[in-house]
Amino acid sequence: MRAVLESLLRARNLDVTLAALGPAGEPLDPARTAPTGCAALDRLLGGGLRRGHLSEITGAPSTGVTQLAIQMLAAATARGEAVALVDTCDTFDPASAAAHGVALPQLLWIRERGDAARALHAFALVLQAGGFGLVVFDVADVAAHARRRFPPTTWMRAARMIEAGETVAVLLGRERMARSAGGVTIALESVPAAWQGHTHRARIFSGLAVTPRVIGAVVAGGPIGAGVAEASIPK
């Protein structure tokens, strides 16, 4: 019965829209995963984010959402991939990204100044164009009422645009928005900042030690589930 189901899904080009159906302990195909650049997180994800799927990174301000996205962009450009960032509120700092390893010549940076509708249209055009290993859509600073104006089918259409392809699409937001069946939610928990020094007047900020909680992932190549990993997001 299972073989028949998988055959039907492949015939309709729908097999990638479902979570892994393999037996417990069967690893994901490395060719169909994109490492994030964070080793602890990649172990939890079974190698990385699944290509052809929509995932999301969520968290309150200062929890490392942007920094994790930059790590992913850096990892993708290090693999020689073209990447794209739809920067809805013009918060991206190219110099900082380059310092953290992003190869800027391989980055398509689309800048908006708060117009969520235009940014969403640009995101759709980039996904339709294809050819990108990673596409990041940053709506973390978009007001909730503006996000609610997105059409109800927005994320379903985005997932359909990239299914069976090589692109990983990632949403950045303060709260959960959407992911495809084979995508994940990486929820970054708030933790105290790390400091060096013994007095308040002689302390140096040394970074954020965040705890990513992964929802809907294949944990360490095993069955569908959720997990927690400790990881450091560089300042």
Side-chain angles (χ1 to χ4, degrees):
M1 179 65 183
R2 175 172 145 179
V4 173
L5 175 59
E6 292 177 343
S7 176
L8 290 172
L9 289 172
R10 282 193 293 270
R12 296 289 300 275
N13 199 28
L14 293 174
D15 53 314
V16 297
T17 66
L18 299 179
L21 294 176
E26 178 180 318
L28 291 175
D29 180 359
R32 298 296 300 165
T33 58
T36 66
C38 177
L41 184 56
D42 287 335
R43 285 194 297 271
L44 191 63
L45 293 167
L49 296 176
R50 293 185 68 188
R51 296 188 184 275
H53 286 279
L54 174 69
S55 295
E56 61 182 349
I57 305 172
T58 66
S62 300
T63 54
V65 171
T66 300
Q67 287 298 329
L68 181 54
I70 289 174
Q71 275 190 268
M72 292 179 178
L73 290 168
T77 58
R79 294 190 295 268
E81 299 175 9
V83 298
L85 168 66
V86 181
D87 183 13
T88 305
C89 295
D90 196 14
T91 59
F92 179 68
D93 180 4
S96 176
H100 284 92
V102 178
L104 296 182
Q106 295 164 229
L107 170 68
L108 172 63
W109 176 25
I110 300 175
R111 303 172 65 182
E112 275 296 337
R113 301 186 184 279
D115 191 327
R118 283 172 54 91
L120 177 61
H121 182 59
F123 178 58
L125 290 177
V126 171
L127 295 183
Q128 287 176 338
F132 295 94
L134 174 65
V135 178
V136 176
F137 185 23
D138 186 357
V139 292
D141 293 314
V142 175
H145 67 84
R147 291 197 309 271
R148 285 194 289 267
R149 295 197 188 104
F150 290 165
T153 58
T154 292
W155 310 123
M156 184 183 300
R157 292 179 59 195
R160 289 286 295 176
M161 289 177 190
I162 61 172
E163 67 178 6
E166 298 300 312
T167 300
V168 174
V170 177
L171 307 177
L172 307 184
R174 301 287 181 234
E175 57 192 21
R176 294 175 63 177
M177 292 175 290
R179 59 183 172 87
S180 61
V184 298
T185 298
I186 302 172
L188 302 184
E189 308 290 348
S190 298
V191 294
W195 299 86
Q196 294 179 346
H198 301 291
T199 67
H200 290 292
R201 293 186 177 181
R203 293 196 306 169
I204 300 175
F205 176 69
S206 60
L208 294 173
V210 303
T211 304
R213 183 165 57 93
V214 177
I215 303 167
V218 178
V219 181
I224 300 300
V228 175
E230 296 291 342
S232 295
I233 305 299
K235 62 182 179 179

